[in-house]
Amino acid sequence: MWTQTCRLVGGALFAIESSLVLLLPLSQLDAAEAVAEVPPFLKTYCISCHGEKKQNGDQRFDTLTLNLSDSNNLRTWQNILDVLHRGEMPPDKDGVKQPSDKERRQVIVGLEEQLLKAYAQNNSTGGEAIYRRLNRFEYRNTIRDLLGINIEFVDPTEKFLPDTSEEGLDNVGNALVTSDYFLQQAMGAAETMIQRATHFEPRPKTISRTSPGPVLHRKGGILTTASRENNNAYDEIFEQAARGISGGYIGMSDYPEGVSVSGRYRIQLTASSSNQRHPWGDSIPTDQNEALRVGVVIFNARNADALRYSASEKNVGEYPLPESGAKRTFELELWLEEGWAPKFVWVNAPFRAYRTGEKLLQRYFPDLYQPRPDPRLGTRVKQEYLYEIGRLLVDNNKGPTLRIHEVKIEGPLLDQWPPKGHVLMYGKGEVRSQDVEMHLKRFATQAFRRPVTSPEMEPYTALVRQYEAEGKSTVEALQIGYKALMSSTPFLHMPQFYDTLSANELATRLSYFLWSSMPDTTLFELASDGSLLQPDVLHAQVERMLEDPKSQAFVTHFTDRWLRLDKINSMPPDVKQYKSYYDENLDVAMKQETHLFFGHILQKNLPISNFIDSDFTFVNRGLADLYGMAPLDDAALVKVAITDKRRGGLLGHASVLTATANGIDTSPVIRGVWVLNNLLGTPPTPPPPDVEPLAPDLQGALTIREQLDKHRENPSCYDCHVKIDPMGFALENYGPIGEWRESYGRSRTPIDASARMADGSQYKDIVEFKEELLKRKELVTRHLTKKLLEYSTGRIMELEDRKELDAIVVTVKARGSGLRDLVHEIVQSTVFLKK
Amino acid sequence: MSRRRPLNRRTFLHGAGVSLALPMLEAMSPYCSAFAAGLTGPAKRMVIFTNAFGMYPPHFFPKETGGGYKMPQLLAPLERHRKQMTVFSNLDHGLNLGHSGSTTLLNGIERQNASHFPNGNISADQMAAEWLKATTRFPSLQTSVRGKNTLSWTRHGVNLNAINAKHLYDKLFLDLSQKGKQEQAQRYREEASILDVVLDQAMSVHRKLGKNDQKKLDEYLTSVRGLEKQFAQEKQWLDEEKPKTTLGVPPTNMVNAIDEYEIHLDLLALALQTDSTRIITTGLGMVNNDHGLPLSYHAYSHHGERRELVAGLVAIEKFQMEQIARFLDKLKSTDDMINGGNLLDHTMVLFGCGMSTGHHSNKNLPMFLVGGGFKHGEHQSSPTQKSQRVPACNLLLSMLQNFGLQVDQFGTSTATLTGLETI
């Protein structure tokens, strides 16, 4: 259906009864026919108790019309549908005429269709986009582009509440709400961001600083500290750095508070490995064929201790070291916000293999080893003992370690000074009171995303003058003016005054579609002379925008919303059973896989059918392992060919499979609904009220298939589940994080992933299931078109849009159903060009 | 403001659960100022506790009704509060939302249906907060300990965030310095003048828009005006000193569940004692390894009747009940500086879950009410027949009337709750 249904809560009754009735095939039923059956049905089975003479339960139907735009009527019909679903009416008593099963189901089908249409009508926005607010994602990106703030490190929206979404999309104008809470947060964010973007200080010098090893001068782990005493040339890492485990990080004592200026920095790191091949394999289980890898991590040195895991730290690079132990130098350029600093880790270190070294010393150097002193002698004695053991081990170490020899940091590397955002606010040079209106106008043109008039600026100018008069400096007063501009509706919302979008309105819609941010200079220029409205110019702009790295916003955000990947980590899997999920950060990797997948199909204009089944995907070390593919060494994702037809397409992606499970088990119903909703675009009707949720009796060890089979014996459940369940059974071989499994858990019951679909076609496994889906690939193209139209215009498509949508699908199909072509067709469509 | 003495709320609460058909007189408007309310009766408070996964039904609902019922295993820790407590069976909102039901405990309305109701999907606590206005420094507080709290909804559909113990402490006791206060006062002035400017700007946009867009822009206009009012209210409190305490600042990231719960609930009691607020909602949660349980709360809720998992779930739930019992002890032993007597006398403490069990049911919500000035001591079971079921909003309506609001309807209520009377 086109819009989400809305269940009115009027007078819903409770209790469930179900009767086993012989099931007839429903495939012959036509909804239009079925509606015609409704009034005679009421007359035959209902009116005698709910009509002129009697009104049992205060319900009367003889005067009821099928006019569903009346909300009282709608509520009554919904009640009728509900009791029919539950088999409660007509009541199972002597002398009460019962409809045949076929009659009952016909009426249900007909009523459902009518009611869904009526609900869609209720939710209709007249086929027009409704005044739309910037959502959190768009707000963040807009701040980045307006004020030049690095939003990777500073999140102006960190206190904002989640956006309300509709059908999975978080940028639907009608659904997004502007509340006093939002406005207050936006005002606060504006003030903070304006401060951050203000830089009247002189241009910071670019400094280059070399820190020779050891770079850590304070106590680290016991062995790291002992090693430093032993040699004066390098830091040594012995163990894994991870959440909950201290040590394993080498921080830089030269930057106790991080860098003092935000900006781009160049880091040169010289490192080596030692003893990649070693004789202590029994105690230190490393893969001796695998190179040791050094990792660079950045963290907020003002908030966190270098030597402890902090939630905001980021991995920025990973480099393999030669087996020979030769030193290697790596260079990387990155942004460091003021207060941030780098630190170093041994990425593929063993966990807790060294610890304090006692066990190793005892095993390999028994004559050096001494047992621990009596604990009653106190902590200091114990500490001294441990350091002594550490020294002995380090002196004689034959095990693998990683060494940091030197770190050079150069920066900030500045493209311009003052930075872009500052120049937008204050220009270059002295800020004079007589220039206030000029400054405001320049800023407003960008903030409002259109030219502004002097009369429009008057109240803002007056505001600034008021504060100047009270003694504030021109700069301070201007900041209040900018805060006001960023709290105004032309900034926070996207006004559209014309039925056919003006050039400026089009520029805004286009940039928030492909960049989730404000237009850039080129787009503003093309809007100002109206040339953006020309189809060939529009086409060229789409190409330019897709090539720009800012289009990553479209690739990642649209994919997440379309496929509902926001559900990943809402119910995370068990830490022990799915250790790799956490060790390998699979939640991050699996989303990246899907993003890269979408991005590649877009980039190369590949056919949309690739979403159903493909001969490639993107994996890294952790995902390759999860998928049972040839092992990879890298934490970065690379494109791989798929030879095993069980993977391929979105249904093989761990992201989709994890988002449709609950971290503990899987359900063909949940996954089936996902396939119907998000891939085929043929959502099932919502369940009737008071469907008792499946309460798994896991002691009885019924498989989910057996439970669902029982469920489908109920005729009122059958009609929908015969469509839903077969869409999910094929995926049962994939566990809660997308791992392949042949049987269920401890019971070892083998998994049967076959099913018969509602139209009779059958499949025996995921491979055949995908073949069946490929036969329906036009549905996928159509649904993706709908989703893209909705995402790009900020409104849900309605019945009136059907014609235009069909036309797009036909055009795109004739050219091979390429995804890039589809994006172009959408931008050129009437739906996109009109409000 | 009307000088008439507002109608005594007792004329509303018949206790027989009869719904009123009286016209809404000006003095009975829900937006009587708190000042006027002070003339009618004691200052009332409400505290609502919840959790995200419900309560294991066989150990929660008593078998017998009336007084003298045997306390089931989960309620046993509350035995000493039996006389001030009423347990309810068979109340719910008639919804079927699974996990999302947790957010509807205090309103009985799904967010997407909010536009069909005159007050949107505002939750009972926020209804009371609107009414109380700036009587207390914080119109209401939303907190959570080791879990989530999604109970509180504003009139405009904003689901309020919950804070932890450290944040709560700062709010209650951390005063701004003199300089800080000046800066804050200045900020209120600045923001008020900004709001004037943006309001004018928005009105000029409004004039040029189509009707549907205008309705949406109205949200912005309402927000501007709402903020203006809020700033005015907050300003009233700016120069007032916050209460002092000898309690230390709670650590962040407390590992031990007992410590964190005790500290948190003690702060809630202090918040009431100092009259910093009179309306609190709190979510009670569990973190892996609490109570020696290795799995997650979610995992235990999916017990499938397996014995070890049920045992784990019951341990989690029983702990929450023990903590509530301890909180009630605190209220009982603290003087009520405004009303006299002890704090529990005029504080309604409600425990309820919008999702009743881990099987995603929203029927028969586990609920009990303590204190507040009602007659207690019984297990009240409402009818189970479909046409006679009682909306949980009836209980909320009774609570709101007891709080002082002059309303005869709330959410999906049909009347006040039969059998629940005030002392």
Side-chain angles (χ1 to χ4, degrees), chain A residues 560-815:
Chain A
D560 283 348
R561 305 313 311 185
W562 166 38
L563 302 175
R564 308 307 310 276
L565 300 185
D566 53 301
K567 291 207 189 284
I568 295 176
N569 280 337
S570 61
M571 286 170 288
D574 181 64
V575 179
K576 290 206 182 70
Q577 213 185 342
Y578 290 103
K579 200 163 168 295
S580 62
Y581 185 87
Y582 299 94
D583 291 347
E584 291 286 346
N585 295 320
L586 284 183
D587 51 340
V588 174
M590 60 174 69
K591 277 172 84 163
Q592 279 178 340
E593 173 188 9
T594 308
H595 296 158
L596 287 167
F597 188 68
F598 184 94
H600 184 76
I601 295 174
L602 177 66
Q603 177 68 9
K604 301 287 181 206
N605 196 26
L606 297 180
I608 290 166
S609 55
N610 274 285
F611 290 117
I612 301 175
D613 198 15
S614 66
D615 59 8
F616 70 94
T617 189
F618 291 80
V619 294
N620 69 354
R621 183 174 65 220
L623 288 172
D625 190 48
L626 179 70
Y627 294 158
M629 292 178 177
L632 283 179
D633 213 24
D634 229 334
L637 281 84
V638 294
K639 181 162 173 280
V640 294
I642 291 183
T643 44
D644 180 347
K645 295 209 60 68
R646 291 175 297 175
R647 295 279 172 189
L650 288 173
L651 295 176
H653 278 205
S655 61
V656 169
L657 297 165
T658 304
T660 52
N662 63 10
I664 298 172
D665 50 32
T666 65
S667 158
V669 176
I670 306 278
R671 286 182 172 165
V673 169
W674 187 94
V675 171
L676 288 174
N677 275 346
N678 303 315
L679 215 48
L680 297 175
T682 56
T685 46
D690 298 324
V691 170
E692 273 303 307
L694 277 174
D697 177 4
L698 294 165
Q699 299 196 97
L702 274 183
T703 63
I704 186 84
R705 177 179 290 264
E706 286 161 342
Q707 288 179 64
L708 285 173
D709 282 347
K710 269 195 129 40
H711 187 205
R712 266 174 301 157
E713 283 170 22
N714 179 327
S716 105
C717 304
Y718 175 84
D719 290 332
C720 289
H721 277 271
V722 76
K723 294 186 204 127
I724 297 173
D725 301 354
M727 293 295 168
F729 277 121
L731 301 171
E732 277 295 284
N733 279 115
Y734 293 123
I737 63 168
E739 76 280 21
W740 182 267
R741 53 181 188 184
E742 295 287 348
S743 64
Y744 288 114
R746 250 180 274 165
S747 61
R748 311 278 172 95
T749 324
I751 293 175
D752 172 9
S754 68
R756 185 167 186 278
M757 291 161 71
D759 66 359
S761 32
Q762 289 182 304
Y763 64 82
K764 72 173 195 295
D765 60 14
I766 178 78
V767 176
E768 285 189 4
F769 178 59
K770 286 195 284 190
E771 284 167 20
E772 286 300 318
L773 289 181
L774 280 171
K775 294 182 194 157
R776 297 161 173 77
K777 63 183 176 187
E778 187 172 313
L779 287 178
V780 177
T781 303
R782 163 174 257 286
H783 179 68
L784 187 51
T785 304
K786 172 175 180 284
K787 222 62 194 175
L788 283 167
L789 280 170
E790 291 173 343
Y791 182 85
S792 62
T793 57
R795 71 171 177 91
I796 301 297
M797 292 296 111
E798 300 186 23
L799 285 173
E800 297 128 27
D801 301 304
R802 206 165 200 165
K803 238 178 70 183
E804 175 74 22
L805 196 143
D806 285 342
I808 296 175
V809 172
V810 164
T811 311
V812 156
K813 193 168 159 216
R815 296 172 56 190

Side-chain angles (χ1 to χ4, degrees), chain A residues 549-560:
Chain A
K550 287 195 279 191
S551 62
Q552 272 302 104
F554 167 54
V555 169
T556 56
H557 201 73
F558 175 74
T559 305
D560 283 348

Side-chain angles (χ1 to χ4, degrees), chain A residues 4-9 12-15 17 88 122 125 128-131 159 161 164-165 173-181 183-184 187-188 191 448 450 456 459-460 463 466-467 470 472 480 483-484 487-490 492-493 495-497 571 574-576 662 664 688-699 835, chain B residues 92-96 99 108-113 116-117 154 156-161 186-187 189-195 197-198 200-202 205 208-209 212-214 216-217 219-220 222-224 226-227 230-231 234 288-289 294-296 298-299 302-308 359-361 363 384-387 389 412:
Chain A
Q4 195 157 5
T5 60
C6 154
R7 283 232 154 206
L8 297 178
V9 178
L13 306 174
F14 292 77
E17 284 169 35
E88 283 167 10
N122 273 348
T125 58
E128 280 189 346
I130 297 296
Y131 206 67
K159 293 224 190 85
L161 292 176
T164 28
S165 55
N174 202 30
L176 289 168
V177 169
T178 303
S179 63
D180 45 3
Y181 190 81
L183 184 57
Q184 187 174 16
M187 287 174 77
E191 182 175 326
F448 288 5
R450 58 167 171 78
E456 202 179 354
Y460 297 94
L463 185 67
Q466 176 195 334
Y467 282 102
E470 285 181 17
K472 285 208 186 293
I480 296 176
K483 183 172 167 183
S487 307
S488 304
T489 181
L492 294 173
H493 299 87
Q496 287 169 341
F497 299 111
M571 286 170 288
D574 181 64
V575 179
K576 290 206 182 70
N662 63 10
I664 298 172
D690 298 324
V691 170
E692 273 303 307
L694 277 174
D697 177 4
L698 294 165
Q699 299 196 97
K835 190 165 172 343
Chain B
D92 53 53
H93 292 303
L95 299 172
N96 186 16
H99 279 285
I109 298 171
E110 256 185 283
R111 187 188 55 75
Q112 62 208 54
N113 293 344
H116 295 270
F117 292 85
T154 69
H156 304 293
V158 177
N159 189 223
L160 297 174
N161 269 347
Q186 175 67 357
R187 175 174 281 112
R189 272 195 59 236
E190 271 174 29
E191 299 204 324
S193 57
I194 289 176
L195 288 175
V197 171
V198 305
D200 279 340
Q201 157 74 252
V205 172
K208 297 194 275 183
L209 289 173
N212 286 336
D213 279 352
Q214 282 183 336
K216 207 56 164 133
L217 179 54
E219 286 175 6
Y220 177 83
T222 311
S223 303
V224 172
L227 265 190
Q230 185 188 319
F231 290 154
E234 285 176 14
N288 292 36
N289 295 315
L295 303 178
S296 67
H298 182 227
H302 277 266
H303 49 79
E305 300 301 340
R306 279 174 292 196
R307 218 170 316 141
E308 340 79 70
H359 295 152
H360 306 131
S361 170
K363 276 172 68 165
T384 49
Q385 298 93 305
K386 35 200 168 172
S387 51
R389 282 194 81 102
T412 54

Side-chain angles (χ1 to χ4, degrees), chain A residues 229-519:
Chain A
E229 290 177 14
N230 206 30
N231 83 87
N232 214 16
Y234 53 78
D235 299 274
E236 209 160 9
I237 308 179
F238 293 82
E239 60 185 5
Q240 183 67 245
R243 300 172 223 218
I245 296 178
S246 61
Y249 292 106
I250 299 292
M252 296 187 68
S253 297
D254 284 343
Y255 294 89
E257 299 273 296
V259 298
S260 49
V261 180
S262 301
R264 273 187 314 116
Y265 285 81
R266 191 174 293 129
I267 298 183
Q268 277 183 355
L269 162 69
T270 305
S272 71
S273 71
S274 166
N275 296 335
Q276 176 182 325
R277 295 198 185 274
H278 60 89
W280 292 354
D282 286 338
S283 305
I284 304 178
T286 54
D287 178 351
Q288 301 200 15
N289 291 318
E290 196 181 87
L292 276 68
R293 279 196 300 279
V294 63
V296 181
V297 176
I298 56 175
F299 71 105
N300 189 341
R302 298 210 180 144
N303 286 356
D305 180 354
L307 303 189
R308 296 210 116 70
Y309 174 79
S310 82
S312 59
E313 69 183 40
K314 300 174 201 281
N315 299 317
V316 294
E318 224 183 77
Y319 310 95
L321 296 163
E323 187 180 328
S324 61
K327 292 190 211 170
R328 273 288 138 83
T329 303
F330 307 98
E331 186 177 291
L332 66 149
E333 229 180 76
L334 49 86
W335 183 278
L336 284 173
E337 191 72 8
E338 90 184 60
W340 283 63
K343 59 184 179 179
F344 310 99
V345 297
W346 173 9
V347 176
N348 50 348
F351 279 84
R352 296 189 181 283
Y354 275 92
R355 299 205 212 198
T356 55
E358 284 169 89
K359 287 217 166 67
L360 293 168
L361 205 61
Q362 188 180 18
R363 179 168 184 171
Y364 299 110
F365 301 99
D367 27 311
L368 294 176
Y369 173 75
Q370 296 207 32
R372 277 207 185 188
D374 190 325
R376 285 171 297 183
L377 291 172
T379 346
R380 168 171 286 179
V381 172
K382 177 177 152 203
Q383 282 295 98
E384 281 172 11
Y385 164 81
L386 288 174
Y387 276 105
E388 185 53 35
I389 293 286
R391 277 177 218 116
L392 285 171
L393 177 54
V394 167
D395 273 347
N396 297 285
N397 188 27
K398 292 207 169 69
T401 64
L402 191 144
R403 294 170 178 181
I404 307 289
H405 297 275
E406 186 183 270
V407 181
K408 179 167 148 196
I409 302 186
E410 186 182 354
L413 311 165
L414 299 165
D415 294 323
Q416 68 172 86
W417 191 267
K420 185 178 99 156
H422 179 105
V423 173
L424 178 65
M425 289 193 285
Y426 313 107
K428 302 188 180 174
E430 197 198 327
V431 181
R432 299 178 311 173
S433 179
Q434 58 258 52
D435 293 332
V436 157
E437 206 201 302
M438 173 189 81
H439 289 307
L440 283 172
K441 222 174 174 180
R442 182 185 60 236
F443 187 89
T445 309
Q446 292 292 308
F448 288 5
R449 302 179 285 269
R450 58 167 171 78
V452 298
T453 62
S454 292
E456 202 179 354
M457 288 293 102
E458 266 166 29
Y460 297 94
T461 312
L463 185 67
V464 174
R465 295 278 176 237
Q466 176 195 334
Y467 282 102
E468 275 182 318
E470 285 181 17
K472 285 208 186 293
S473 70
T474 304
V475 167
E476 288 169 335
L478 263 180
Q479 288 176 347
I480 296 176
Y482 295 140
K483 183 172 167 183
L485 286 169
M486 289 173 70
S487 307
S488 304
T489 181
F491 173 71
L492 294 173
H493 299 87
M494 299 181 211
Q496 287 169 341
F497 299 111
Y498 306 99
D499 269 341
T500 303
L501 299 191
S502 70
N504 261 106
E505 291 170 352
L506 183 59
T508 296
R509 178 176 267 186
L510 189 58
S511 74
Y512 279 98
F513 173 29
L514 298 177
W515 289 343
S516 296
S517 187
M518 56 183 278

